Every structure is written in C-alpha cells, then in structure tokens.
C-alpha cells in the first residue's frame, strides 16, 4: 500500500514564550500559542528541510539512489523557488535524475507536495519547511518554524487511503493575515473562519474514511484555537484535534504546521488507528487519511528547546541587525543606498492599493497581503513609540557599527511604531542621545537625521530616534 514509509521532524532549538512577547508589546496576537520555535540566525527553510529530510531518509528502507521525486513545500524560500529543490537534492545527495516539484505561496503547500508524491511512481521524498516572517508589531507574533519530511513508497508503514480536495474562491481570505494597523490586529474574522471551516469540512467529508473514526486530526492551525473551530462541523473529538495540533508548541510554521501535526499524531500510532490531516491555503483545502503509525525521528524536538528573551529573538530573526532601516544588509552598495534615501531621511513608506496595508521599506511584496503591487508612497510620522528594545553591548555590534560603539559605548536599537494616518509603520532604528539603560518600551521618540556609519569611504546618513522627554 502506498503511503508513508519513514518520516522525520525538525524544529529549531530556540523558543520564545508568548509571555515574553506580551511583555514587549503589552499584548500578544498569538492566541493559544505558549511557545514558538525560532530559527537561529544561520537557519532558514532550506537548512531545516535538509535536517528533517536526513532524519526521514536515515529511517527509510530506501536507497537515496532510488528516489524518483523530490517535492518541497514552503512559503518562505530563502532564494528563488526554482533554486530551492536543486540545493536540497545536492545537500541530500539524491540522484541528479530525480524529478522535482516545489509548492509555495499558500499554507496547504505541504499537503499538496505530499499528494504529488502519492501520485508518483517509485520512492519519493517530500519536505515541508517554513519559517514565515511578519511585522514585529502583530503578524509576527504567532509565527514559528519547523520542517516535516516524508519518504513515500509502495511499502508503507502508514498507508494513505486517499486525498480529497475542496476549492472555492474565498475573497479576502489571505495567505497570511495581518491586522488593520492597530495593535489590536491579526483578527481572524468570522467570515474568514467560516470560509476555512467550510472548505475543511467539505474536503474531510469527501474522504473514504468516516471522520468519526479518526483517532487524531491535524487541522489547519494558524493559531492554537483555530483547528478546534475549523473542525467544528466535523465529528472529530477535541482529543483527536489535540493529538494533531503542534502550533501551541512551535508556532505557525506556515506550510509545515499541518505536516508536523500529522507526524506528531503518527508517531507511535497503532496499526488500526486512523489519522486525518486537513490543510487550507489560498482557497483550497486538502485532506488525507492515514492508516497506522510509525516512529518519527525528531518528533521530540516539538517539546524541547531553549528559551530565549525577546531581545535575543529580534537579533536571531534579523528584525534588529544593525540599527539601520530594515531591508538593508550589512553591506549596502552605493546605488542601493542612493535609491533608499527617501526611506532613510524621510521615512517614505508604501501603502498597498489592494489592501491598504503599509509596508516599510516600500519594496517587494505587500507585507499585509503579499501581493506584488506598486505602492502609494507616503511619509510616515516622524514621532513614534518604542515597542521593543535591545541594547547592543561591547562586541555585539556588526562591523560597520564597531567604530560608533568604540566612541559611544553600548547603544540601543528599538522597534519604533510610527502611527501615521495611512497605518502604523514599524521599523528597527537606532536610539541616539540617550543612555540605552534609560530607554524603555512605551517611550515617545522623534526622528533625527544622524550619521549611521561609513562604508566604502562614504559616510552614510539616515534617521535615528531620540527620546522626546
Ligand atoms: Zn496589500
């Protein structure tokens, strides 16, 4: 019977508790999530995919040479989607004749990749790995990380009975939700919840198994409460949903969350047990039913981990790196610097013509709805509030700031929220003219243009913030 022959889970080591988030922001938008997994600074979806896949392949009774399909799913490819799987193939030493597939752009991508592998001939490797990012003010709160890998073959420990789909237009139900700019945001409205619940119910009801007989269910889980609501019209017990829910421990790992929930349920499940998985993304729900269980390497990662504080979190995630406006790396070429001058001096942000959300810097996709749009530029307010803070101490500064640190000692880097009529712009920025120990979350600050650093012999200037009291 075709199905899952071996599997591996990977969750990064660091954890951030929701209490830490709530302390930093005064509130948290991570409903039903106790802790979330945090990728280290040198981890991304590709490295997590490799780690999970190594575990699955080590446990599989399949030679790497025999793998005929490598399918990957992520919503956060660290490089062009087309370059993701070739690196995975190379890192895992899979044959270069392997067929490849990438599913991306929606949170049902993991289930879609698994479905492809079930339809393929010969042994297939499927990896869902994700570490989504969002505005630190709100959308980021529930976002976690993790990877789930499956070796699919005709000699499976856990047979996949069937896969069922339900697809419909669900306007406004976005791939990644964000609030309306208020810190009360990230509200999953009743309409959105009903749309997801309807699609999940239809897909699961189309399976050949009776959902009433499911011992466990991994249901779409952008937060800890959602899977219970999404399953509300199905005869699934709360115990079954709990057995397939991992978001409470690792956060919303995008396309990897439901696959990780499936692995948590399959690990140690008995031969006669039935597990249902139901993922939703982009208007499509995918459901599958699995009979039996297997031992899953790495599943203990779900509960382990080392707690870190919020300042460390901001550094590990790269939200606060060097104190310059977000989007600039350690090295910014002069042409790129020149192009970004309006942002650096005038705090020019972009408003999305599609959804009204604001994005800073106004580049790439809309941070609210992820659409590729031509932003309407506007100048953000030059006064704001410190929302989170970290002090870069001796030796902690990136090289371009070492000189400043030698001259001025430790400095504070804050995430500053600028309430503008178009929406709240949040950005990391250096705090100046203040003893970093005397700056606190909630302080009012005002923009001032200062020397940021010197690179390639050219001094670079831009906005920093100073306390107004
Ligand atoms: Zn938008």
């Amino acid at each position: 019977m075709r199905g899952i022959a071996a599997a591996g889970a990977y969750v990064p080591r660091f954890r951030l508790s929701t209490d830490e988030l709530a302390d930093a922001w005064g509130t948290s938008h991570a409903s039903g999530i106790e802790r979330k997994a945090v990728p280290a600074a040198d981890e991304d979806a590709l490295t997590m995919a490799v780690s999970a896949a190594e575990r699955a392949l080590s446990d599989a009774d399949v030679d790497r040479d025999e793998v005929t399909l490598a399918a990957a799913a992520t919503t956060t490819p660290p490089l062009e989607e087309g370059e993701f799987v070739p690196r995975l193939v190379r890192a895992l030493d899979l044959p270069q004749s392997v067929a490849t597939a990438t599913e991306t752009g929606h949170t049902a991508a993991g289930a879609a990749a698994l479905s492809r592998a079930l339809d393929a001939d010969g042994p297939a490797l499927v990896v869902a790995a994700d570490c989504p990012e969002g505005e630190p003010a709100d959308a980021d709160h529930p976002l976690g990380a993790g990877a789930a890998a499956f070796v699919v073959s005709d000699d499976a420990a856990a047979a996949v009975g069937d896969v069922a789909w339900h697809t419909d237009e669900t306007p406004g139900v976005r791939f990644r939700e964000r609030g309306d700019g208020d810190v009360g945001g990230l509200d999953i409205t009743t309409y959105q919840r009903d749309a997801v619940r309807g699609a999940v119910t239809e897909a699961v009801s189309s399976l050949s198994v009776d959902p009433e007989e499911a011992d466990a269910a991994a249901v779409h889980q952008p937060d800890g409460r959602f899977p219970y609501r999404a399953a509300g019209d199905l005869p699934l017990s709360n115990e079954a949903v709990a057995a397939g829910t991992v978001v409470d421990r690792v956060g919303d790992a995008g396309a990897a969350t439901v696959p990780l929930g499936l692995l948590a349920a399959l690990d140690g499940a008995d031969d006669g047990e039935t597990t249902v998985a139901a993922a939703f993304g982009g208007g499509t729900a995918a459901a599958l039913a699995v009979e039996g269980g297997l031992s899953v390497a790495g599943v203990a990662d779900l509960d382990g981990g080392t707690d870190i504080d919020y300042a460390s979190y901001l550094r590990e995630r790269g939200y606060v790196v060097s104190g310059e406006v977000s989007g600039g790396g350690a090295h910014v070429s002069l042409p790129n610097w020149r192009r970004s001058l309006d942002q650096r001096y005038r705090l020019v942000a972009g408003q999305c013509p599609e959804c009204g959300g604001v994005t800073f810097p106004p580049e790439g996709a809309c941070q609210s709805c992820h659409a590729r749009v031509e932003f309407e530029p506007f100048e953000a307010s030059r006064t704001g509030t410190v929302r989170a803070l970290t002090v870069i101490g001796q030796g902690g500064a990136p090289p371009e700031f070492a000189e400043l640190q030698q001259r001025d000692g430790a400095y504070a880097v804050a995430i500053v929220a600028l309430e503008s009529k178009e929406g709240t712009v949040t950005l990391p920025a250096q705090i100046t003219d203040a003893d970093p120990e005397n700056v606190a979350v909630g302080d009012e600050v005002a923009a001032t243009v200062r020397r940021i650093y010197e690179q390639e012999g050219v001094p670079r200037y831009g906005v920093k913030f100073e306390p107004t009291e």
Side-chain angles (χ1 to χ4, degrees), residues 36 91 100 133 143 164 217 253 292 297 306 318 341 360 373 378 381:
K36 62 176 191 167
T100 61
E133 289 181 10
L143 300 181
T306 303
L341 288 175
F360 186 87
V373 295
F378 69 95
S381 165

Side-chain angles (χ1 to χ4, degrees), residues 46 82 119 208 216 260 268 305 369 442:
L46 180 68
D119 288 341
S208 56
L260 275 170
C369 70

Side-chain angles (χ1 to χ4, degrees), residues 20 30 80 127 149 154 182 212 241-242 330 332 336 391 450-451:
E20 278 280 319
E80 291 294 313
V127 195
D154 295 334
D182 287 325
E212 203 161 356
V241 176
V332 182
N336 280 339
V391 176
R450 295 294 177 94
R451 188 179 173 112

Side-chain angles (χ1 to χ4, degrees), residues 174 351-359 365-373 375:
R174 301 227 185 251
Q351 186 166 35
C352 173
E354 301 276 321
C355 76
V358 301
T359 294
C366 169
Q367 285 168 6
S368 297
C369 70
H370 287 250
R372 293 262 164 193
V373 295
F375 292 108

Side-chain angles (χ1 to χ4, degrees), residues 36-65:
K36 62 176 191 167
V38 182
D42 57 356
E43 289 187 299
D44 61 23
L46 180 68
T47 68
M48 293 192 296
V50 171
S51 299
E54 283 291 0
R55 288 174 171 171
L57 288 164
S58 306
D59 275 3
D61 208 11
V62 168
D63 267 352
R64 293 180 193 222
D65 285 352

